[in-house]
Amino acid sequence: MKNIGLLLCSITGFFIILGCLFYNSLLIDMDKIKDYVTESNYIFEQVVKNEDKVDDNKGEYISRLITIKKGMENTNTSFLFEKYKKIKISSIELLIDLINENNEKDKKNYLKLILKSNDRSQRELDSMMNKGFIEVTYLCLKTYINL
């Protein structure tokens, strides 16, 4: 009976350590690209709020976005984070196209696409965090929340 208890404790400890490693990997990947994401979100905010300022300095904004895109592409992240990173890179590419565009109707379409891409990337990040917790530790938080 002692050995079975020890075995169960060991297995439980293994799954807890595995879960911690999974989340630690995600947090390290997020930390690697957080500056790029923050800067691209700041530029997006400026594009939405101050179109005149952006139109005057198109070259500067585009060069900053290209630098952000290259930096994000060259950042080494785990395979778990690749889909999120690809979605954010496509969002940056759309932002570059938005800044280059002169037609107002096309600008609105690009703006909608960027917002959809940002929502999709956030959903991907949320699903990684929730899905990973359930898959690695086999615990369901909803069960405990409903109590």
Side-chain angles (χ1 to χ4, degrees):
M1 210 48 167
K2 269 180 153 179
N3 293 336
I4 293 174
L6 184 61
L7 179 66
L8 290 175
C9 288
S10 298
I11 291 171
T12 303
F14 173 75
F15 281 118
I16 289 172
I17 290 171
L18 192 61
C20 290
L21 289 174
F22 174 78
Y23 279 108
N24 192 29
S25 173
L26 287 178
L27 291 174
I28 288 171
D29 289 344
M30 280 187 229
D31 189 49
K32 287 179 183 177
I33 67 169
K34 75 175 180 182
D35 294 332
Y36 299 121
V37 172
T38 303
E39 182 70 19
S40 67
N41 288 341
Y42 176 73
I43 292 173
F44 179 63
E45 182 181 330
Q46 285 188 339
V47 167
V48 171
K49 288 184 179 179
N50 303 330
E51 285 189 27
D52 297 333
K53 182 179 178 182
V54 174
D55 288 339
D56 294 340
N57 300 321
K58 278 186 181 182
E60 178 186 338
Y61 283 101
I62 291 172
S63 67
R64 283 171 57 191
L65 286 169
I66 290 172
T67 304
I68 291 168
K69 179 183 167 196
K70 285 181 183 177
M72 194 177 286
E73 287 173 342
N74 293 331
T75 303
N76 291 329
T77 56
S78 65
F79 69 95
L80 303 167
F81 220 64
E82 285 301 314
K83 187 174 179 182
Y84 174 79
K85 195 166 83 168
K86 286 179 184 178
I87 295 170
K88 289 306 283 184
I89 289 171
S90 70
S91 176
I92 292 171
E93 291 169 350
L94 288 169
L95 188 55
I96 291 171
D97 293 339
L98 173 68
I99 293 173
N100 278 329
E101 188 60 48
N102 291 325
N103 188 357
E104 287 299 319
K105 186 177 180 181
D106 291 339
K107 279 188 177 186
K108 288 181 183 180
N109 289 335
Y110 278 122
L111 187 62
K112 287 178 186 177
L113 289 173
I114 292 170
L115 290 172
K116 283 182 184 178
S117 179
N118 286 342
D119 287 341
R120 210 169 91 215
S121 67
Q122 187 61 42
R123 280 195 313 268
E124 174 64 26
L125 188 60
D126 291 342
S127 72
M128 267 193 301
M129 297 301 276
N130 294 334
K131 179 175 131 186
F133 185 76
I134 292 169
E135 284 181 356
V136 174
T137 62
Y138 297 98
L139 294 176
C140 186
L141 287 178
K142 292 180 182 176
T143 309
Y144 299 108
I145 292 171
N146 289 336
L147 295 176

